[in-house]
Amino acid sequence: MRSGPLDAETILAATEDVLRRHGPAKATVLDVARALGVSHASVYRHFPSKAALREAVTRRWLGRARDPLAAIAADPRQAPPERLRTWFTTLFTAKRTLLSEDPELFATYRVLTAEHSSAAADHVTDLIEQLRVIITDGVTSGDFTSPDPTATARTVFDATMAYHHPAHAPEWQAPGAEAALEAVCALLIDGLRPR
């Protein structure tokens, strides 16, 4: 049996390992409890259901991608056009790296984000808010023009879908993918500049 206190973060880390080994279709709360050396009731004290546990691990995973991007979005040392480029490049690189380094876990999270669409929707809302901050800063600095930074952020996000939506993952390893993203970023940044 496990010694020391059992906390949510420990359970989530174990859940990720179990998901990696068994996949989302076969992983159970009992598997997580076994991996931790505790009873399944101990896991249920922190997460009231399998669905709650899977949603929490999904939010944790999505947060790993979101948090570094939030730091870029809020960084006043970079001019907004460069910040926007850095933000998209970082997002693309992170997703592509996870896909190439841990394809099983990437596939698992594709299933989990589909199951927990509210977690995915909250994640997208957070990302669009980060883009809104960059665009608003660009309007303030005179680098960008936009009558509605929120709508513009959504449009910019949608225009780059091929570089961050998991449905496009097979394309991320293609030769020239980085250059294509750079061309899209250049086009978007140019389109946001005042005329």
Side-chain angles (χ1 to χ4, degrees), residues 87-137:
W87 192 92
F88 277 113
T89 302
T90 301
L91 176 60
F92 175 67
T93 301
K95 295 241 178 165
R96 187 171 66 171
T97 299
L98 181 61
L99 173 64
S100 65
E101 290 180 357
D102 201 343
E104 295 84 11
L105 193 59
F106 187 86
T108 293
Y109 279 111
R110 284 185 69 179
V111 170
L112 291 179
T113 54
E115 280 179 12
H116 302 286
S117 58
S118 65
D122 291 348
H123 177 67
V124 168
T125 298
D126 288 344
L127 296 181
I128 291 171
E129 173 57 19
Q130 291 174 19
L131 289 170
R132 185 203 62 77
V133 167
I134 295 170
I135 292 165
T136 299
D137 288 354

